[in-house]
Amino acid sequence: ALQWLRLASPALPIGGYSYSQGLETALDLGWVYDAKSAEHWLSAILMGPLAHFDAALLAQACRAAAAGNQALLGHLNQRVLASRESREQRLETEQMAYSLHQLLSVLPEGAEGWPEQLQTPYSLPVVWAVAAHQFAIAGEAAVAAWLWSWLENQVMVLMKAMPMGQSAGQQLISALLPQDRKSTR
């Protein structure tokens, strides 16, 4: 029941904290220089390629993993790898996928049921979907964990790289949460 928190955690030892996905370069070039510019930068990525490609593909991969459709998982894996625009981005998804695969192989929840037809190199969204299936996490929760993990890692980069304290980091996260989920009942 709480396994989705494991996937979303920055303590998941797959190296998510090691990658800024271009944010450090944006800081160096002066494109991101304060909380407002950081919000704009993160929002553009979150609502653009992350939501419309990675999260959508992850949702497909979750359905494929749940259905045992190894051929579709393989196709989606190749699609992710082909979509990475730079060598660094491809190595990032491959390294993090490798690390998650290695972690799954030593956990009781993930030691069995690896899709035998899935060929290396692996991409992170596809391995994430397999992990979600092995942890009995619904696809929607797996996608939410993916997006949360990405956002939290990006805010951690900002807190380290520019003068942004923890409270400002939490304010930034609040500004980027979906509007319909901000209210409590």
Side-chain angles (χ1 to χ4, degrees), residues 97-185:
Y98 173 83
S99 296
L100 183 53
H101 178 251
Q102 291 301 109
L103 177 63
L104 288 174
S105 71
V106 299
L107 295 176
E109 306 94 327
E112 293 182 28
W114 182 258
E116 293 177 11
Q117 293 178 7
L118 190 58
Q119 301 293 313
T120 59
Y122 305 128
S123 68
L124 183 59
V126 170
V127 176
W128 189 282
V130 172
H133 176 66
Q134 290 179 342
F135 290 158
I137 299 170
E140 186 175 314
V143 171
W146 170 274
L147 294 170
W148 177 261
S149 176
W150 178 86
L151 179 59
E152 192 170 41
N153 279 322
Q154 294 296 293
V155 170
M156 288 171 54
V157 168
L158 288 167
M159 289 189 315
K160 292 174 188 173
M162 67 182 239
M164 176 182 277
Q166 292 177 338
S167 293
Q170 289 301 312
Q171 289 171 333
L172 179 55
I173 288 172
S174 289
L176 292 167
L177 289 176
Q179 295 297 318
D180 59 343
R181 300 202 182 194
K182 285 184 181 177
S183 64
T184 58
R185 296 177 191 178

Side-chain angles (χ1 to χ4, degrees), residues 13 21-22 54 62 66 86 141-142 154 164 173:
Q21 298 188 346
D54 287 18
C62 286
S86 69
Q154 294 296 293
M164 176 182 277
I173 288 172

